[in-house]
Amino acid sequence: MLVEEGQAHLFAAWPAPGEADADKRRLLQQLVLLDANYHGGLAAYIHNAKQLLADSKEGRNAFDGYTPSVPEGERLDFGSGRFLQLEGQGLEAAGKAAFVLVAGGLGERLGYQGIKVALPCESASGRCFLQLYIESILALQDASGAAAEGRRLPLAIMTSDDTHGRTEALLKKHSNFGMEEGQVVLIKQEKVPCLIDNDAHLALDPSDAYAVQTKPHGHGDVHGLLHRSGLTQQWQQQGLQWVCFFQDTNALVFRALLAALGLSAANDYDMNSLAVPRKAKEAIGAITRLTKADGSGAMTVNVEYNQLDPLLRSTINKDGDVNDESGWSPYPGNINQLVLKLSSYVPQLAATGGNISEFVNPKYKDATKTAFKSSTRLECMMQDYPKALPADAKVGFTVVNQVGGSAGVGWLWLWRVFEVECMMQDYPKALPADAKVGFTVVNQCMAQDNSKALPAYTEVGFTVVNQVWATYSPVKNSPADARAKAAEGNPTHSATTGEMDIYKANCEALMLMAGADVGSPQEGMYIGIPVEEWPRVVLSPSFAPCLAAVKDKVAQGSLLLAPKSVLLLEGRDISVKNLRVDGALVVRAVPGAKVVLDGLTVSNQGWSWTPIEKVDSLTLEKAIRGFRVDSPTLEEAIRGFRVIRNETLELVFDQPGDYIVPQPAAAAAAAADEAPAAEVPGDEAAAAATAAAAAVTAKAFEAVLAGLVSKNKRRFQDGPHGFDLDLAYIAPRIIAMGLPAEGKDVLYRNPLPEIARFLTTYHGGHAKVYNLCSEHRYSADKLPGVLLQQFPFDDHQPPRDVLELYAARRTHDLNGVSIPSQRRYVGYFWRVLSSGPKPLGRLPQPRSLQLRQIHISGLPPGSAEQCSVVVEVRPSGSSAAGGSRVFASRALRPAASSVPGE
């Protein structure tokens, strides 16, 4: 077949039979796999490529004969009654929805080599994108009533060769972030052959004559993968009705997704897409209404940005794609967030095999267009699915306006001339003309179109939500590219703005829904990227699965946040009735722990986001954001941010029950009577603990005490497993931790059972614990499977060469062992170890010294009139209470600055 299709060159250099037979078989096996993975096989791939390459060479425009216009549709105000009504309908529909995450790419465009879904989406909580998405789905599973009915909402993740193994490892490491086994499924995308010329000859790998060069086919492959895996059929059999698609680094995707889902349910759309406002000539596709001159063949589709401007210039506007009076292009943008109806999606996939219309983008050597600079391939896009919908498919669009913005939410076909790939949103291109295809546009977000092949009478729609903060702030550009976009006045879509927009979105939601006072944003700049700095607010998916939940849980006018304060609320049963924060407050509550913040005032030093000037010694995660931030999670620290958590009030409620913070006076008194006494070192710490106990519940008291004892030390806090321990990873296999304790000491020390659970959870019990404390010992029986060895040390005597490492890994302020005499003795010990044979070094020889004078400087003001000084010398080991004295001075009244001795 391949020879008949003009591919004999693949075998032209083969040696005689019997030579390199293993390599020949390897090539044939690869070709069989490529043939099986493409709908219609390699013959169909070659035929499609020849046609598309011919169109490219001749410069044929897919939009010839069409006149563009701005699409019209229903517009909703973000947070309005209508919006909340659709959100409520969407929440109900979410209980019968499946979710698909397209995550086949690495972070090279960001300057980050890991998988993008592992990147922290913000620094306050340290959640990575994948954790956020899974927690959002689980929150919808709970809030929609699906969990109560015993129904799990499934998640399918499309991966690639580059991301598959690492995504598996991330899920395994974190126990699927709370999803049950089998609830999340990975489907791996295969690649397609590269092409070397206009005759669609397949390219051999330049480094291997027995391998075809391959590249990704585009995210449109997701439709075929879902079909071939049988997942869509399985979901339909389980009674699910909708499939929601989203991409890998947009933390705000779920903010408007419910409204789009509700719109789909209300209008019975076969497909609906979420779109956003876009700047003129911004490098994203635009939703556009196209109509033929004779009035036939009208369609609402995604037109790629590099096609829209020339199309407008050649038809209706000599200036092309320009911003209108709102400051945005009238053509909303495509963000590849789609909602498909399973009852029409499943039969359509069966009819087409999930095949999506393709395009090709060859880079020609010269104007003759006969040779390529490098190989190309066919591509496809997921948003082009509607192009082949049946004639009765319904396409709708709705515009959701937001405070301070003007844009639209919709879905478009993202079409690129001259590159042949496939995108998942291209599915609508295969839908029949009567399919119902909807578009949801969120202003300042971007979406893609899927209805290009629909006839004129097909209903086309999109939903537009104004302002970036509502639903779209992707992390996709490097700092250098982000700075360039900022200079042009375009959204930067960087890790820096992606994080800051999360805080902004949560502040805006609190203001809009609860009348919260969060102040005005401040202008900031990190690595040359301008940002708006709002209080660092993180509302976990469990706390706020939808906008209406914010209104239900935060009383009107009940919340005041000082500039740059930190507020993290994690738990579905937390409510705010009266809260003032000037600093940092973290509240975590397990399901069933009903926490009411009523009359709580928090005033502390809070956290700081410290700009980075030099990135040489910083990890990539730190460098691409441009700032360092203190974080309560280990994941944040090991991803490279310098943690500066100056002071935090953290309230952890790990048992179901009813809690009011602060407690009413009577309840607080009763709790104080029942609580065991706690010995906290130091008068100041004890006084602070007493004051804290009067302001929080008895359960929260333990967390406050622990924080007071830890002081500047890092704590290991892991929400999914409920850990809050005084320990830190000094190296991947070395942990420094506070003393494990039992009895009343657990109020301010690490509970021994929790240390055992931690070692089992994270290290399978394969650990050896060295107890260096000379005052307290504990039994190995309390640490099942863990080896224990006692090395009693007097306090504060570690080897010198680990002081700096210890300070960086164990504390927030690089102030580890800080007392000068302690540091001197560490230095003495280091000199002993380094002065002779390893490992013990050479001990110094004893010498006799004569003490001739004692000089004390820096006495407190006024002490000369209030004290006298006596110097006594006693034998080693004796106490001041008894024993002989070698020497005793007479009592001396201090002079102005010193006391000579005898």
Side-chain angles (χ1 to χ4, degrees), residues 552-632:
D552 292 340
K553 296 178 181 180
V554 183
Q556 281 293 317
S558 65
L559 176 62
L560 186 149
L561 300 177
K564 294 189 178 180
S565 289
V566 177
L567 175 63
L568 273 68
L569 299 178
E570 300 186 0
R572 71 185 184 192
D573 297 318
I574 299 171
S575 62
V576 177
K577 290 188 176 180
N578 185 3
L579 175 62
R580 305 290 183 268
V581 180
D582 184 3
L585 171 66
V586 177
V587 184
R588 295 190 173 96
V590 298
K594 299 178 180 180
V595 180
V596 179
L597 305 177
D598 189 0
L600 178 63
T601 297
V602 177
S603 180
N604 56 43
Q605 295 300 310
W607 304 353
S608 57
W609 272 242
T610 304
I612 291 173
E613 301 299 333
K614 296 181 180 180
V615 299
D616 297 345
S617 62
L618 301 173
T619 62
L620 288 168
E621 291 89 341
K622 213 189 291 182
I624 62 177
R625 272 188 169 81
F627 53 80
R628 298 181 298 205
V629 59
D630 173 40
S631 163

XYZ file of all heavy atoms in Angstrom, residues 552-632:
610
model
N -23.619 32.493 50.075
C -24.255 31.748 51.163
C -23.383 31.696 52.417
O -23.895 31.661 53.536
C -24.561 30.318 50.716
C -25.644 30.268 49.646
O -26.405 31.249 49.537
O -25.710 29.266 48.917
N -22.049 31.673 52.233
C -21.162 31.405 53.364
C -20.517 32.653 53.964
O -19.968 32.584 55.072
C -20.065 30.420 52.934
C -20.610 29.058 52.551
C -19.527 28.114 52.082
C -20.123 26.763 51.684
N -19.083 25.819 51.214
N -20.543 33.760 53.251
C -19.941 34.995 53.762
C -21.049 36.038 53.894
O -21.642 36.456 52.893
C -18.823 35.506 52.838
C -18.171 36.751 53.440
C -17.772 34.415 52.611
N -21.343 36.443 55.116
C -22.414 37.402 55.360
C -22.065 38.752 54.752
O -20.898 39.139 54.677
C -22.653 37.538 56.861
N -23.085 39.475 54.317
C -22.886 40.774 53.697
C -22.152 41.724 54.643
O -22.528 41.905 55.803
C -24.233 41.387 53.305
C -24.826 40.824 52.032
C -24.006 41.189 50.799
O -23.562 42.325 50.661
N -23.823 40.231 49.913
N -21.079 42.323 54.116
C -20.327 43.313 54.877
C -19.585 42.771 56.072
O -19.177 43.533 56.954
N -19.379 41.455 56.121
C -18.801 40.832 57.319
C -17.287 40.695 57.271
O -16.682 40.296 58.262
C -19.404 39.439 57.512
O -19.031 38.575 56.431
N -16.661 41.003 56.135
C -15.242 40.697 55.955
C -14.463 41.947 55.592
O -14.852 42.691 54.679
C -15.073 39.634 54.862
C -13.643 39.254 54.479
C -12.904 38.660 55.676
C -13.654 38.254 53.321
N -13.360 42.182 56.293
C -12.457 43.279 55.983
C -11.044 42.724 55.900
O -10.579 42.058 56.830
C -12.533 44.375 57.047
C -11.729 45.657 56.778
C -12.419 46.860 57.403
C -10.299 45.539 57.352
N -10.363 42.997 54.782
C -8.988 42.543 54.581
C -8.087 43.739 54.352
O -8.364 44.571 53.471
C -8.899 41.598 53.381
C -9.727 40.312 53.430
C -9.586 39.540 52.129
C -9.304 39.442 54.605
N -7.010 43.828 55.108
C -6.025 44.876 54.890
C -5.209 44.552 53.629
O -5.144 43.397 53.200
C -5.103 44.993 56.098
N -4.594 45.564 53.015
C -3.792 45.307 51.812
C -2.724 44.237 52.058
O -2.075 44.212 53.106
C -3.148 46.674 51.525
C -4.091 47.656 52.125
C -4.643 46.997 53.352
N -2.599 43.339 51.091
C -1.606 42.264 51.082
C -1.777 41.276 52.233
O -0.868 40.506 52.540
C -0.180 42.816 51.058
C 0.148 43.557 49.781
C 1.620 43.898 49.675
C 1.917 44.598 48.351
N 3.334 44.946 48.211
N -2.940 41.277 52.883
C -3.218 40.236 53.859
C -3.380 38.890 53.151
O -3.552 38.832 51.931
C -4.494 40.563 54.645
O -4.285 41.648 55.516
N -3.322 37.832 53.926
C -3.465 36.471 53.400
C -4.656 35.812 54.079
O -4.760 35.825 55.302
C -2.192 35.639 53.649
C -2.386 34.201 53.170
C -0.991 36.268 52.970
N -5.559 35.257 53.276
C -6.712 34.530 53.805
C -6.895 33.252 53.008
O -7.134 33.291 51.803
C -7.984 35.379 53.717
C -9.285 34.672 54.147
C -9.223 34.280 55.615
C -10.496 35.558 53.867
N -6.758 32.102 53.672
C -6.999 30.801 53.054
C -8.143 30.126 53.797
O -8.057 29.913 55.010
C -5.756 29.907 53.137
C -4.718 30.031 52.025
C -4.022 31.381 52.089
C -3.678 28.911 52.132
N -9.206 29.808 53.068
C -10.345 29.100 53.635
C -10.484 27.766 52.920
O -10.757 27.719 51.727
C -11.625 29.930 53.475
C -11.627 31.299 54.169
C -12.927 32.038 53.884
C -11.398 31.171 55.671
N -10.294 26.680 53.655
C -10.321 25.342 53.074
C -11.269 24.464 53.878
O -10.931 24.025 54.968
C -8.915 24.740 53.037
C -7.925 25.555 52.210
C -6.594 24.869 52.058
O -6.426 23.756 52.597
O -5.711 25.441 51.388
N -12.458 24.252 53.343
C -13.440 23.409 54.017
C -14.839 23.827 53.625
O -15.147 25.016 53.550
N -15.704 22.868 53.382
C -17.030 23.166 52.849
C -17.958 23.767 53.892
O -18.956 24.403 53.553
C -17.650 21.893 52.280
C -18.073 20.876 53.325
C -18.578 19.592 52.711
N -19.070 18.671 53.725
C -19.346 17.398 53.504
N -19.179 16.904 52.288
N -19.793 16.618 54.468
N -17.648 23.578 55.194
C -18.573 24.013 56.239
C -18.048 25.205 57.026
O -18.397 25.398 58.189
C -18.875 22.839 57.191
C -19.581 21.700 56.480
O -20.474 21.988 55.678
O -19.232 20.536 56.730
N -17.193 26.014 56.415
C -16.717 27.243 57.039
C -17.659 28.376 56.638
O -18.076 28.474 55.480
C -15.285 27.573 56.582
C -14.310 26.457 56.992
C -14.819 28.909 57.158
C -12.925 26.614 56.397
N -17.998 29.235 57.575
C -18.800 30.416 57.261
C -18.226 31.627 57.982
O -17.575 31.496 59.024
C -20.271 30.211 57.631
O -20.403 29.987 59.020
N -18.443 32.794 57.395
C -17.887 34.041 57.925
C -19.038 34.964 58.292
O -19.870 35.315 57.440
C -16.967 34.722 56.897
C -16.465 36.062 57.433
C -15.798 33.814 56.536
N -19.067 35.377 59.552
C -20.075 36.336 60.004
C -19.463 37.675 60.401
O -20.099 38.719 60.291
C -20.866 35.756 61.185
C -21.781 34.603 60.795
C -22.675 34.194 61.957
C -23.656 33.099 61.534
N -24.546 32.696 62.656
N -18.219 37.628 60.869
C -17.543 38.865 61.262
C -16.051 38.564 61.364
O -15.622 37.896 62.307
C -18.093 39.385 62.600
C -17.496 40.740 62.974
O -16.716 41.318 62.227
N -17.872 41.235 64.135
N -15.278 39.051 60.409
C -13.862 38.716 60.350
C -13.060 39.914 59.861
O -13.416 40.546 58.869
C -13.644 37.515 59.411
C -12.192 37.102 59.134
C -11.498 36.671 60.422
C -12.145 35.985 58.094
N -11.970 40.219 60.577
C -11.046 41.277 60.200
C -9.646 40.669 60.162
O -9.209 40.055 61.133
C -11.075 42.435 61.207
C -12.465 43.031 61.435
C -12.938 43.802 60.207
N -14.217 44.445 60.414
C -15.387 43.888 60.115
N -15.421 42.648 59.624
N -16.511 44.541 60.308
N -8.944 40.857 59.028
C -7.614 40.262 58.881
C -6.626 41.328 58.455
O -6.804 41.978 57.415
C -7.613 39.112 57.851
C -6.203 38.527 57.725
C -8.603 38.025 58.240
N -5.603 41.519 59.255
C -4.459 42.357 58.908
C -3.225 41.516 59.188
O -2.630 41.593 60.254
C -4.455 43.637 59.745
C -3.320 44.578 59.344
O -2.590 44.247 58.391
O -3.166 45.637 59.982
N -2.872 40.673 58.223
C -1.801 39.706 58.407
C -2.132 38.443 57.651
O -2.523 38.503 56.483
N -2.004 37.291 58.294
C -2.247 36.016 57.627
C -3.126 35.118 58.491
O -2.850 34.910 59.670
C -0.933 35.308 57.315
N -4.185 34.595 57.885
C -5.089 33.657 58.544
C -5.330 32.473 57.633
O -5.675 32.645 56.457
C -6.430 34.324 58.879
C -7.551 33.387 59.375
C -7.181 32.777 60.726
C -8.880 34.128 59.460
N -5.145 31.280 58.172
C -5.412 30.039 57.447
C -6.408 29.232 58.272
O -6.176 28.978 59.456
C -4.128 29.224 57.218
C -4.447 27.902 56.521
C -3.123 30.018 56.412
N -7.511 28.842 57.648
C -8.522 28.025 58.332
C -8.739 26.767 57.507
O -9.078 26.851 56.320
C -9.849 28.779 58.504
C -10.834 27.926 59.299
C -9.634 30.120 59.186
N -8.543 25.617 58.137
C -8.757 24.336 57.469
C -9.724 23.516 58.305
O -9.540 23.370 59.516
C -7.445 23.571 57.279
C -6.451 24.252 56.350
C -5.282 23.321 56.031
N -4.405 23.885 55.032
C -3.276 24.559 55.307
N -2.924 24.715 56.561
N -2.533 25.040 54.348
N -10.725 22.966 57.651
C -11.727 22.188 58.376
C -12.101 20.962 57.557
O -12.381 21.064 56.361
C -12.962 23.047 58.653
N -12.118 19.802 58.206
C -12.513 18.565 57.536
C -14.027 18.568 57.336
O -14.753 19.333 57.990
C -12.086 17.335 58.356
C -10.591 17.280 58.513
C -12.778 17.336 59.723
N -14.540 17.739 56.431
C -15.997 17.635 56.295
C -16.638 17.289 57.626
O -16.167 16.419 58.361
C -16.163 16.505 55.264
C -14.906 16.543 54.459
C -13.825 16.924 55.427
N -17.703 17.995 57.943
C -18.383 17.778 59.215
C -17.949 18.715 60.316
O -18.608 18.801 61.356
N -16.824 19.412 60.115
C -16.386 20.435 61.073
C -17.010 21.762 60.650
O -16.587 22.367 59.672
C -14.868 20.530 61.102
N -18.034 22.185 61.358
C -18.768 23.400 61.023
C -18.178 24.566 61.807
O -18.339 24.661 63.026
C -20.251 23.223 61.331
C -20.890 22.097 60.525
C -22.362 21.903 60.871
C -22.964 20.774 60.050
N -24.396 20.557 60.366
N -17.476 25.419 61.088
C -16.707 26.491 61.708
C -17.345 27.831 61.366
O -17.563 28.135 60.185
C -15.238 26.469 61.227
C -14.442 27.589 61.877
C -14.612 25.113 61.518
N -17.624 28.624 62.379
C -18.183 29.959 62.192
C -17.158 30.972 62.694
O -16.761 30.929 63.868
C -19.509 30.135 62.947
C -20.048 31.548 62.738
C -20.524 29.095 62.489
N -16.702 31.852 61.800
C -15.793 32.932 62.178
C -16.654 34.151 62.486
O -17.169 34.805 61.575
C -14.806 33.214 61.050
C -13.996 32.006 60.553
C -13.113 32.404 59.381
C -13.166 31.410 61.675
N -16.817 34.444 63.757
C -17.752 35.484 64.181
C -17.096 36.356 65.249
O -17.023 35.978 66.414
C -19.033 34.851 64.722
C -20.129 35.876 64.969
O -19.890 37.072 64.714
O -21.211 35.477 65.413
N -16.587 37.511 64.818
C -15.945 38.420 65.759
C -14.450 38.209 65.876
O -13.820 38.715 66.807
N -13.850 37.482 64.944
C -12.414 37.207 64.996
C -11.641 38.361 64.350
O -11.938 38.770 63.229
C -12.099 35.901 64.280
C -10.613 35.509 64.201
C -10.031 35.284 65.591
C -10.432 34.256 63.339
N -10.660 38.861 65.049
C -9.752 39.874 64.521
C -8.343 39.310 64.528
O -7.862 38.844 65.568
C -9.804 41.163 65.356
O -11.126 41.721 65.264
C -8.797 42.178 64.850
N -7.680 39.333 63.384
C -6.334 38.794 63.239
C -5.391 39.943 62.903
O -5.611 40.675 61.934
C -6.277 37.725 62.125
C -4.845 37.222 61.942
C -7.219 36.580 62.448
N -4.360 40.088 63.700
C -3.351 41.116 63.442
C -1.988 40.512 63.702
O -1.634 40.215 64.839
C -3.578 42.334 64.346
O -2.598 43.327 64.095
N -1.240 40.271 62.645
C 0.108 39.729 62.783
C 0.964 40.194 61.612
O 0.519 40.979 60.770
C 0.082 38.196 62.900
C -0.630 37.523 61.735
O -0.442 37.897 60.571
N -1.461 36.528 62.045
N 2.200 39.712 61.556
C 3.150 40.173 60.537
C 2.865 39.599 59.151
O 3.389 40.093 58.158
C 4.573 39.806 60.956
C 5.036 40.512 62.217
C 5.021 42.016 62.060
O 5.563 42.555 61.088
N 4.391 42.702 62.992
N 2.034 38.568 59.081
C 1.621 38.031 57.789
C 2.747 37.422 56.982
O 3.772 37.004 57.512
N 2.525 37.337 55.660
C 3.492 36.760 54.739
C 3.954 37.831 53.762
O 3.279 38.839 53.569
C 2.885 35.603 53.933
C 2.291 34.502 54.761
C 2.345 34.344 56.114
C 1.545 33.396 54.265
N 1.681 33.222 56.502
C 1.171 32.605 55.388
C 1.148 32.984 53.009
C 0.432 31.444 55.267
C 0.396 31.819 52.886
C 0.052 31.055 54.000
N 5.077 37.567 53.125
C 5.586 38.544 52.157
C 5.979 37.849 50.857
O 6.516 36.750 50.870
C 6.784 39.301 52.736
O 7.818 38.413 53.116
N 5.668 38.493 49.749
C 6.085 38.067 48.415
C 7.317 38.904 48.064
O 7.197 40.094 47.783
C 4.980 38.316 47.409
C 3.982 37.211 47.254
C 3.746 36.505 46.111
C 3.072 36.706 48.231
N 2.744 35.585 46.336
C 2.316 35.679 47.627
C 2.816 36.998 49.573
C 1.332 34.967 48.301
C 1.842 36.288 50.252
C 1.118 35.288 49.621
N 8.507 38.284 48.081
C 9.746 39.034 47.929
C 10.213 38.977 46.485
O 10.459 37.896 45.950
C 10.838 38.447 48.837
O 10.355 38.436 50.182
C 12.109 39.274 48.752
N 10.359 40.136 45.811
C 10.804 40.124 44.405
C 12.160 39.468 44.243
O 13.021 39.540 45.124
C 10.859 41.613 44.053
C 9.949 42.276 45.024
C 10.060 41.485 46.291
N 12.329 38.831 43.122
C 13.593 38.182 42.789
C 14.353 39.070 41.816
O 13.824 39.446 40.773
C 13.346 36.802 42.150
C 12.790 35.845 43.191
C 14.638 36.243 41.562
C 12.361 34.526 42.614
N 15.575 39.381 42.166
C 16.403 40.187 41.268
C 17.324 39.307 40.441
O 17.526 39.513 39.261
C 17.226 41.199 42.074
C 16.360 42.151 42.890
C 15.431 42.982 42.017
O 15.771 43.226 40.839
O 14.360 43.374 42.505
N 17.927 38.309 41.081
C 18.826 37.393 40.394
C 18.219 36.005 40.418
O 17.754 35.548 41.455
C 20.205 37.376 41.066
C 20.932 38.713 40.993
C 22.291 38.610 41.652
C 23.036 39.935 41.583
N 24.369 39.863 42.212
N 18.274 35.316 39.294
C 17.637 34.001 39.213
C 18.648 32.876 39.046
O 18.278 31.747 38.828
C 16.627 33.962 38.031
C 15.555 34.975 38.240
C 17.336 34.200 36.700
N 19.947 33.186 39.153
C 20.962 32.171 38.893
C 20.795 30.947 39.783
O 20.899 29.816 39.340
C 22.363 32.748 39.096
C 22.653 33.885 38.116
O 21.893 34.004 37.137
O 23.605 34.624 38.353
N 20.560 31.187 41.070
C 20.505 30.078 42.018
C 19.093 29.627 42.332
O 18.877 28.855 43.229
C 21.187 30.498 43.327
O 20.494 31.591 43.899
N 18.129 30.131 41.557
C 16.735 29.823 41.846
C 16.208 28.746 40.918
O 16.643 28.630 39.775
C 15.885 31.078 41.696
C 16.298 32.249 42.604
C 15.489 33.469 42.246
C 16.091 31.893 44.057
N 15.258 27.983 41.391
C 14.627 27.003 40.524
C 13.727 27.702 39.532
O 13.340 28.852 39.704
C 13.804 26.005 41.341
O 12.781 26.723 41.996
C 14.652 25.273 42.339
N 13.374 26.984 38.475
C 12.599 27.594 37.399
C 11.239 28.073 37.861
O 10.752 29.105 37.421
C 12.434 26.582 36.260
C 13.719 26.328 35.479
C 13.543 25.115 34.586
C 14.078 27.532 34.642
N 10.581 27.316 38.769
C 9.266 27.746 39.235
C 9.345 29.119 39.871
O 8.483 29.967 39.710
C 8.699 26.742 40.258
C 8.324 25.401 39.670
C 9.476 24.435 39.675
O 10.638 24.887 39.784
O 9.233 23.224 39.554
N 10.455 29.357 40.629
C 10.624 30.631 41.290
C 10.916 31.720 40.262
O 10.386 32.823 40.321
C 11.785 30.514 42.276
C 11.633 31.369 43.524
C 12.898 31.372 44.334
C 13.188 30.057 44.980
N 14.398 30.104 45.808
N 11.773 31.387 39.305
C 12.193 32.387 38.336
C 11.073 32.837 37.416
O 10.969 34.012 37.079
C 13.356 31.835 37.500
N 10.198 31.925 36.980
C 9.176 32.320 36.016
C 8.091 33.155 36.660
O 7.348 33.851 35.969
C 8.543 31.088 35.321
C 7.837 30.183 36.324
C 9.586 30.328 34.540
C 7.139 29.012 35.660
N 7.982 33.113 37.996
C 6.990 33.970 38.647
C 7.564 35.337 38.972
O 6.884 36.338 38.905
C 6.486 33.319 39.941
C 5.307 32.389 39.685
C 4.691 31.909 40.979
N 3.429 31.237 40.721
C 3.329 29.986 40.313
N 4.397 29.274 40.117
N 2.143 29.447 40.075
N 8.834 35.377 39.378
C 9.456 36.651 39.645
C 9.343 37.098 41.082
O 9.673 38.219 41.413
N 8.872 36.238 41.977
C 8.822 36.609 43.377
C 8.968 35.363 44.219
O 8.809 34.249 43.756
C 7.526 37.343 43.742
C 6.282 36.611 43.338
C 5.786 35.574 44.090
C 5.615 36.984 42.183
C 4.632 34.909 43.705
C 4.461 36.334 41.793
C 3.971 35.290 42.558
N 9.302 35.595 45.477
C 9.393 34.499 46.429
C 8.296 34.701 47.454
O 7.968 35.811 47.829
C 10.769 34.486 47.109
C 11.895 34.282 46.128
C 13.232 34.244 46.809
N 13.530 35.494 47.490
C 14.771 35.903 47.731
N 15.787 35.184 47.343
N 14.985 37.025 48.368
N 7.754 33.633 47.933
C 6.617 33.771 48.844
C 6.683 32.695 49.908
O 7.088 31.579 49.634
C 5.289 33.663 48.074
C 5.176 32.351 47.358
C 4.116 33.832 49.010
N 6.308 33.052 51.082
C 6.182 32.056 52.134
C 4.943 31.209 51.873
O 3.927 31.705 51.414
C 6.053 32.765 53.476
C 5.743 31.797 54.587
O 6.316 30.704 54.577
O 4.925 32.146 55.440
N 5.049 29.952 52.132
C 3.922 29.059 51.889
C 3.834 28.047 53.003
O 4.845 27.606 53.523
C 4.115 28.341 50.559
O 3.277 27.217 50.487
N 2.629 27.629 53.373
C 2.511 26.641 54.440
C 2.681 25.219 53.968
O 2.521 24.302 54.755
C 1.084 26.871 54.951
C 0.340 27.337 53.750
C 1.317 28.147 52.960
